[in-house]
Structures are given as structure tokens and as C-alpha cells.
Amino acid sequence: MAKNLAKDAGKDAIRELGWWKAHRFLLLRRVCQLSIIALFMIGPTWGVLKGNLSSSLLLDTIPLSDPLLLLQTLATGHWPEVNALIGVTIVTVFYMVIAPRAFCAWVCPLNIVTDFAAWLRRKLNLKASYKWSPKIRYWLIPVILLGSAVSGSLLWAWVDPVATLHRGLVFGMGAGWILIVLVFLLDLVMVEHGWCGHLCPLGATYGVIGRKSVIRIKATHREACTKCMDCYNVCPEPDVLRQPLKEGDRRVMSQDCISCGRCIDVCALSVLEFKVKPKAD
């Protein structure tokens, strides 16, 4: 089979599997992301989820805290409160077990913006203007911690577009829209998957946390793969699919995978699927 155009990714799956099956993980992710935003919005009234993505309280009892924020707090020389330590432990253990970077695909509201930029980029057939190393995001973590230590402040909190968008949706955006528009334009016209795939230190943090997690995408039926390229065209981290679809271990073991399931959605031949603790083969 000839390679499909990027703008046509998923059309074969819709024809062969039906519209729902070709979009199921995308729709489930949107429901999850929007539901979390809604819970924060009604938090003061219903008390289900109060606070923000950096620090929150579930059911007025369970603290949840951002691991990168905790690291910055420690870098400034301040010892976090007990609730913050408990919250980071809960969040870290959850994402350590569940799936690589599940936060990025299933919780982060900025993912909706970057997904839209990627979709529009495919439809308009825009080509990348610049090539950046995906390792930049990992180098940003020590830079942020050093900056926090030198400045004595939570450096990344001032410029974090993820927190900015979440606060804006819940409490009102104001000038924060400028930062979100810049991220959108970065992904649309400058660097393909520029934010999530190259710059986001929060995503890199969750990548490190979830590198041994149990739920993985697996090329179970890779012999059926026709190299149509649909999965590559929709994947925010396409390099993670190269090895599983060629030879050796069929599992996507890279910590850069965001566990979004779009590669599963758009495959008309059901080559890929989520597996719990799949064996290497």
C-alpha cells in the first residue's frame, strides 16, 4: 500500500472500522480533560476538586501536587508542607504505574491546543520550518531548577503555559491568552509538535516518572502493517513507533510516548493496541 497523505490520516480507519472506533481514544481523552476542568470549576460549590493543576485537594481530603513544582520549591531552599509531599507522592506513584506521560494526553488542557495545531498543520499541508532536538525539554528541567535556586522563586510558575491555560479556563484568562497563542503558533508554523515534543519540561518530568509504567501500546499485529504512515502522521512523538513496527520488541517502551492512543484509532488494520504488562516479543 502506498503511503497516505498526512491530511488523510484516519480516513481508512473510518471506512473500515467506523467513525467511533477511529476516534474513540481521542474522544475519551477530551471527555477526561474537559471533565477535570469542569470539576475544578465547580470545586468551590461541590468540593470535588479544589485548587489547580499545581496543587489541589480531592474530596476535601486527598492532596495532589505537581512534581516539577515540588522540585522547584526544594531548589529555592524551602521545605514543602506535609500535604504537598503527600500530594506529590500520590501523583508520582499513580503516573509511575499507569502509563507513560498519561498526564500529557489525558489531563493537560494545553494538549487540546497543541492537538488542534497539529490537525490544522496536516490539513493545510504545512511543513516544519525548524528542527529542534527533543532532548531540549529534559535539559530545561535542570535549567529551571538552577534558575529557581538562584532567584529564590518558583521560576517556571511565571511562564508555564499549562498552568496559565488551566487557571485561565477556571478563573479567567486575561493576558494569559498571549502565551497560549504563542504555543499554538509555535506548533502550527515553526516546529512540528514544538511544545509537547520538544520544550515542555512538565511533560519531560512525567516521562521520567512513567518510564517503567505498566500500560503500553503494542504492535500486536505488526505483520499486517502496510506502512501507510497514518500512525506516524498523527503521533505527537512519531519516533517512538519506529522500533515496535519494524523488528524486535513490539512494545512502545520509550518514555516519550504520551499514551494518547491516536495511533490505535487511525490504524485501519488494528495493528496497535493498549496492553497491560505486555511481554516482549
Side-chain angles (χ1 to χ4, degrees):
M1 180 183 290
K3 295 180 180 179
N4 291 339
L5 297 175
K7 66 183 181 68
D8 294 330
K11 287 186 176 180
D12 289 344
I14 294 173
R15 184 175 60 252
E16 297 295 328
L17 306 175
W19 192 90
W20 158 251
K21 199 166 183 182
H23 294 87
R24 64 194 186 281
F25 288 115
L26 174 63
L27 295 175
L28 289 172
R29 284 167 48 222
R30 293 295 176 259
V31 169
C32 186
Q33 290 163 330
L34 295 175
S35 295
I36 290 171
I37 293 170
L39 287 175
F40 275 112
M41 286 181 171
I42 63 176
T45 304
W46 288 12
V48 179
L49 195 57
K50 296 179 180 178
N52 52 56
L53 287 178
S54 298
S55 179
S56 57
L57 196 62
L58 179 63
L59 301 174
D60 284 326
T61 305
I62 305 171
L64 303 170
S65 303
D66 173 9
L68 184 57
L69 185 68
L70 178 79
L71 291 175
Q72 291 176 82
T73 302
L74 292 172
T76 63
H78 295 89
W79 188 253
E81 296 180 357
V82 173
N83 266 5
L85 293 172
I86 295 173
V88 165
T89 301
I90 293 172
V91 169
T92 300
V93 170
F94 177 79
Y95 287 109
M96 187 182 292
V97 172
I98 188 71
R101 291 179 62 190
F103 173 88
C104 301
W106 295 82
V107 177
C108 179
L110 196 61
N111 171 258
I112 300 174
V113 176
T114 57
D115 270 4
F116 178 58
W119 175 84
L120 191 58
R121 186 185 187 93
R122 292 194 299 272
K123 295 304 178 184
L124 297 177
N125 195 31
L126 298 178
K127 303 300 181 182
S129 300
Y130 300 97
K131 294 290 186 182
W132 290 352
S133 169
K135 296 187 182 298
I136 294 175
R137 52 191 161 183
Y138 293 103
W139 286 108
L140 275 176
I141 296 175
V143 169
I144 290 169
L145 297 181
L146 179 61
S148 295
V150 172
S151 66
S153 63
L154 303 177
L155 187 64
W156 186 244
W158 293 96
V159 293
D160 180 7
V162 175
T164 297
L165 179 57
H166 184 264
R167 285 195 303 267
L169 292 172
V170 176
F171 304 110
M173 184 63 72
W177 281 115
I178 297 173
L179 183 58
I180 306 309
V181 169
L182 288 176
V183 170
F184 174 77
L185 292 176
L186 166 71
D187 275 31
L188 180 64
V189 299
M190 290 187 64
V191 182
E192 189 172 16
H193 309 301
W195 178 254
C196 295
H198 298 80
L199 291 181
C200 182
L202 183 58
T205 302
Y206 279 110
V208 174
I209 289 172
R211 62 194 303 266
K212 299 295 185 180
S213 48
V214 299
I215 299 177
R216 298 282 170 166
I217 289 174
K218 183 178 181 181
T220 306
H221 307 292
R222 73 174 171 205
E223 292 80 7
C225 178
T226 59
K227 298 180 174 58
C228 71
M229 298 300 290
D230 277 4
C231 58
Y232 283 85
N233 288 330
V234 300
C235 181
E237 304 274 357
D239 284 344
V240 307
L241 293 171
R242 297 186 185 281
Q243 184 272 324
L245 288 173
K246 290 183 177 179
E247 58 185 17
D249 195 342
R250 297 172 187 250
R251 299 171 296 176
V252 177
M253 295 304 293
S254 172
Q255 66 188 41
D256 292 336
C257 176
I258 71 169
S259 306
C260 66
R262 279 301 283 153
C263 58
I264 301 173
D265 281 346
V266 302
C267 182
L269 299 172
S270 300
V271 170
L272 300 148
E273 61 182 343
F274 278 117
K275 282 288 190 178
V276 177
K277 295 183 179 178
K279 294 180 180 179
D281 55 16

